[in-house]
Amino acid sequence: KAGVTQTPRYLIKTRGQQVTLSCSPISGHRSVSWYQQTPGQGLQFLFEYFSETQRNKGNFPGRFSGRQFSNSRSEMNVSTLELGDSALYLCASSLKGSGANVLTFGAGSRLTVL
Amino acid sequence: GDSVTQMEGPVTLSEEAFLTINCTYTATGYPSLFWYVQYPGEGLQLLLKATKADDKGSNKGFEATYRKETTSFHLEKGSVQVSDSAVYFCALSDGVGGSYIPTFGRGTSLIVHP
């Protein structure tokens, strides 16, 4: 079965612009979570969506937002980009997002802010 | 709050050497423990997991035992291969407050030379 698909894989933006990243989870998975990965901070949790509702949110400014559609696909948006937003953004899906559920990650979207 | 501490990398080994990557954790509840692996240019994928004390997770020759008394979940492999070169992440999920969002360690890079 198809894995978690993230688009675009690579993108370059300039400061002040905004960006939208997309994530298609594994079929049947209703929980989608997003992480920011940087060399300095490691993996940091952004937010989790389950059945179109944001269920958990990490400690990121309001410039970072997301949503989930009825087909479980999710998007995240970063507005007014800053240099420090350059990172690999990873999306992960799971069946229920609870207990010992395993996360299945996509390959990520690598954002470079100039 | 929850935290995961991994040994600093990179760990550099010759092929067929024995591998240990240390992981210790602090958790409020009774967590499930995971090891994820990230190969170059890819997202994270589950390597193994353990859900209760004294459980041993194993996969692809890798093993880790859930040690509650030492709050540890060290990753071991008896004979590494060049193809094991990757970044390894220890993680926990404990469900405290109804949130099962995993807490990840900073990752340990493994480099295996022929």
Side-chain angles (χ1 to χ4, degrees), chain A residues 9 35 37 39-40 43 45 48 56 97-100 102-103 105-107, chain B residues 32 34 36 38 41 43-44 46 49 51 89 93 99-102 104 106:
Chain A
R9 288 293 311 276
Y35 292 82
Q37 186 178 22
L43 271 168
F45 169 71
E48 182 206 6
N56 291 286
S98 63
V102 172
L103 297 180
F105 284 83
Chain B
S32 295
F34 307 83
Y36 284 83
Q38 185 177 31
L44 282 71
L46 179 73
K49 70 176 184 180
T51 58
F89 293 87
S93 173
S99 171
Y100 290 92
I101 300 302
F104 286 88
R106 296 292 297 269

Coordinates of all heavy atoms in Angstrom, one line a residue, chain A residues 9 35 37 39-40 43 45 48 56 97-100 102-103 105-107, chain B residues 32 34 36 38 41 43-44 46 49 51 89 93 99-102 104 106:
Chain A
R9 N 8.7 18.2 -2.3 CA 9.9 17.6 -1.6 C 10.9 18.7 -1.2 O 11.5 18.6 -0.2 CB 10.5 16.5 -2.4 CG 9.7 15.2 -2.5 CD 9.6 14.5 -1.2 NE 10.9 14.4 -0.5 CZ 11.8 13.4 -0.7 NH1 11.5 12.5 -1.6 NH2 12.9 13.3 0.0
Y35 N 6.0 17.5 12.2 CA 7.2 17.8 12.9 C 8.2 18.7 12.1 O 8.2 18.6 10.9 CB 8.0 16.5 13.3 CG 7.2 15.6 14.2 CD1 6.2 14.7 13.8 CD2 7.5 15.6 15.6 CE1 5.5 13.9 14.7 CE2 6.9 14.8 16.5 CZ 5.9 14.0 16.0 OH 5.2 13.2 16.9
Q37 N 12.2 19.3 11.7 CA 13.5 18.8 12.0 C 14.6 19.7 11.6 O 14.7 20.0 10.4 CB 13.6 17.4 11.3 CG 14.9 16.7 11.7 CD 15.1 15.3 11.1 OE1 14.5 15.0 10.1 NE2 15.9 14.4 11.7
P39 N 19.0 20.6 12.4 CA 20.2 20.1 13.1 C 20.3 20.6 14.5 O 20.8 19.8 15.4 CB 21.3 20.6 12.2 CG 20.7 20.9 10.9 CD 19.3 21.3 11.2
G40 N 19.9 21.8 14.8 CA 20.1 22.4 16.1 C 19.1 21.9 17.2 O 19.4 21.7 18.3
L43 N 14.0 16.9 16.4 CA 12.6 16.8 16.0 C 11.7 17.5 16.9 O 11.6 17.2 18.1 CB 12.2 15.3 15.9 CG 12.4 14.5 14.7 CD1 12.2 13.1 15.0 CD2 11.4 15.0 13.6
F45 N 7.7 18.7 17.7 CA 6.3 18.5 17.3 C 5.6 19.8 17.0 O 5.7 20.8 17.8 CB 5.6 17.8 18.5 CG 4.1 17.7 18.4 CD1 3.5 16.9 17.4 CD2 3.3 18.5 19.2 CE1 2.1 16.8 17.3 CE2 1.9 18.4 19.1 CZ 1.3 17.6 18.2
E48 N -1.0 18.0 15.7 CA -1.7 16.7 15.3 C -3.1 17.0 15.0 O -3.8 17.7 15.7 CB -1.6 15.7 16.5 CG -2.2 14.4 16.1 CD -2.7 13.5 17.2 OE1 -2.7 14.1 18.4 OE2 -3.1 12.4 17.0
N56 N -3.7 18.3 19.2 CA -2.6 18.7 20.0 C -1.8 19.7 19.3 O -1.7 19.7 18.0 CB -1.7 17.5 20.4 CG -2.3 16.5 21.3 OD1 -2.4 16.8 22.5 ND2 -2.7 15.4 20.8
G97 N -3.6 7.5 16.5 CA -2.8 8.5 17.2 C -2.9 8.3 18.7 O -2.7 9.3 19.5
S98 N -3.0 7.1 19.1 CA -3.1 6.9 20.6 C -2.4 5.6 21.0 O -2.1 4.8 20.1 CB -4.5 6.8 21.1 OG -5.2 5.7 20.5
G99 N -2.1 5.5 22.2 CA -1.5 4.3 22.7 C -0.1 4.0 22.1 O 0.6 5.0 21.9
A100 N 0.2 2.8 21.8 CA 1.5 2.5 21.2 C 1.4 2.5 19.7 O 2.2 1.7 19.1 CB 1.9 1.1 21.8
V102 N 2.1 3.1 16.1 CA 3.3 3.5 15.3 C 3.1 4.6 14.4 O 2.0 4.7 13.7 CB 3.8 2.2 14.6 CG1 5.0 2.6 13.6 CG2 4.2 1.2 15.5
L103 N 4.0 5.5 14.3 CA 3.9 6.6 13.3 C 4.6 6.2 12.0 O 5.7 5.6 12.1 CB 4.6 7.9 13.8 CG 4.0 8.5 15.1 CD1 4.9 9.8 15.4 CD2 2.6 8.9 14.9
F105 N 6.1 7.8 8.8 CA 6.5 9.2 8.3 C 6.6 9.2 6.8 O 7.0 8.2 6.1 CB 7.9 9.5 8.9 CG 7.9 9.9 10.3 CD1 7.9 9.0 11.3 CD2 7.9 11.3 10.7 CE1 7.8 9.4 12.7 CE2 7.9 11.7 12.0 CZ 7.8 10.7 13.0
G106 N 6.4 10.4 6.3 CA 6.8 10.7 4.9 C 8.2 11.1 4.8 O 8.9 11.2 5.8
A107 N 8.7 11.3 3.5 CA 10.1 11.6 3.3 C 10.4 13.1 3.6 O 11.6 13.5 3.7 CB 10.4 11.3 1.8
Chain B
S32 N 5.3 3.8 26.4 CA 5.8 2.8 25.4 C 7.1 3.5 24.8 O 7.2 4.7 24.7 CB 4.8 2.7 24.2 OG 3.6 2.1 24.7
F34 N 10.2 3.4 21.8 CA 10.4 3.2 20.3 C 11.8 3.5 19.9 O 12.5 4.4 20.5 CB 9.5 4.0 19.5 CG 8.0 4.0 19.9 CD1 7.5 4.7 20.9 CD2 7.1 3.1 19.2 CE1 6.2 4.7 21.3 CE2 5.8 3.1 19.5 CZ 5.3 3.9 20.5
Y36 N 13.3 4.6 16.2 CA 13.1 4.9 14.8 C 14.4 5.1 14.1 O 15.4 5.5 14.7 CB 12.3 6.2 14.6 CG 10.8 6.1 14.9 CD1 10.3 6.1 16.2 CD2 9.9 5.9 13.9 CE1 8.9 6.0 16.5 CE2 8.5 5.8 14.1 CZ 8.0 5.8 15.4 OH 6.7 5.7 15.7
Q38 N 16.3 6.8 10.5 CA 16.2 7.7 9.3 C 17.4 7.5 8.4 O 18.5 7.9 8.8 CB 16.1 9.1 9.8 CG 15.8 10.1 8.7 CD 15.6 11.6 9.2 OE1 16.2 11.9 10.2 NE2 14.8 12.4 8.5
G41 N 18.0 11.1 3.2 CA 17.0 11.6 2.3 C 15.6 11.0 2.5 O 14.7 11.2 1.7
G43 N 12.3 9.9 5.4 CA 11.7 10.1 6.7 C 12.0 9.0 7.7 O 12.8 8.1 7.4
L44 N 11.5 9.2 8.9 CA 11.8 8.2 9.9 C 10.9 6.9 9.7 O 9.8 7.0 9.2 CB 11.4 8.7 11.3 CG 12.4 9.7 12.0 CD1 12.5 11.0 11.3 CD2 12.1 9.8 13.5
L46 N 9.8 3.1 11.8 CA 9.9 2.4 13.0 C 10.9 1.2 12.9 O 10.8 0.5 11.9 CB 8.6 1.8 13.4 CG 8.6 1.0 14.7 CD1 8.7 1.9 15.9 CD2 7.3 0.2 14.8
K49 N 9.8 -1.6 18.9 CA 9.1 -0.9 20.0 C 9.0 -1.9 21.2 O 9.0 -3.1 21.0 CB 7.8 -0.4 19.6 CG 6.7 -1.4 19.3 CD 5.4 -0.8 19.0 CE 4.3 -1.9 18.8 NZ 3.0 -1.2 18.5
T51 N 6.3 -2.1 24.8 CA 5.2 -1.4 25.5 C 5.2 -1.5 27.0 O 4.4 -0.8 27.6 CB 3.9 -1.9 24.9 OG1 3.8 -3.3 25.1 CG2 3.8 -1.6 23.4
F89 N 16.7 7.3 16.3 CA 16.0 8.1 17.2 C 15.3 7.2 18.2 O 14.6 6.3 17.9 CB 15.0 9.0 16.5 CG 15.5 10.0 15.6 CD1 15.8 9.8 14.3 CD2 15.7 11.3 16.1 CE1 16.3 10.7 13.5 CE2 16.2 12.3 15.3 CZ 16.5 12.0 14.0
S93 N 6.2 7.4 24.3 CA 4.8 7.9 24.3 C 4.1 7.4 25.5 O 4.1 6.2 25.7 CB 4.1 7.4 23.0 OG 2.8 7.7 23.0
S99 N -2.6 12.8 25.8 CA -1.8 13.0 24.6 C -0.8 11.9 24.4 O -0.1 11.6 25.3 CB -1.1 14.3 24.7 OG -0.1 14.4 23.6
Y100 N -0.8 11.3 23.2 CA 0.1 10.2 22.9 C 1.2 10.7 22.0 O 1.9 9.9 21.3 CB -0.6 9.0 22.4 CG -1.4 8.3 23.4 CD1 -2.8 8.6 23.6 CD2 -0.9 7.3 24.2 CE1 -3.5 8.0 24.5 CE2 -1.6 6.7 25.1 CZ -2.9 7.0 25.3 OH -3.7 6.3 26.3
I101 N 1.4 12.0 21.9 CA 2.4 12.5 21.0 C 3.8 12.1 21.5 O 4.1 12.3 22.6 CB 2.4 14.1 21.0 CG1 1.0 14.5 20.5 CG2 3.5 14.6 20.1 CD1 0.6 14.0 19.1
P102 N 4.6 11.4 20.6 CA 5.9 10.9 21.0 C 6.8 12.1 21.3 O 6.8 13.1 20.7 CB 6.4 10.1 19.8 CG 5.2 9.9 19.0 CD 4.3 11.0 19.2
F104 N 10.8 12.7 21.2 CA 12.0 12.1 20.5 C 13.3 12.6 21.1 O 13.4 13.7 21.6 CB 12.0 12.5 19.0 CG 11.0 11.8 18.2 CD1 9.7 12.3 18.1 CD2 11.3 10.6 17.5 CE1 8.7 11.6 17.3 CE2 10.3 9.9 16.8 CZ 9.1 10.4 16.6
R106 N 17.4 13.4 20.4 CA 18.0 14.2 19.4 C 18.6 13.4 18.2 O 18.9 14.0 17.2 CB 19.2 15.1 20.0 CG 18.7 16.0 21.1 CD 17.9 17.2 20.5 NE 18.7 17.9 19.5 CZ 19.4 19.0 19.9 NH1 19.4 19.4 21.1 NH2 20.1 19.6 18.9

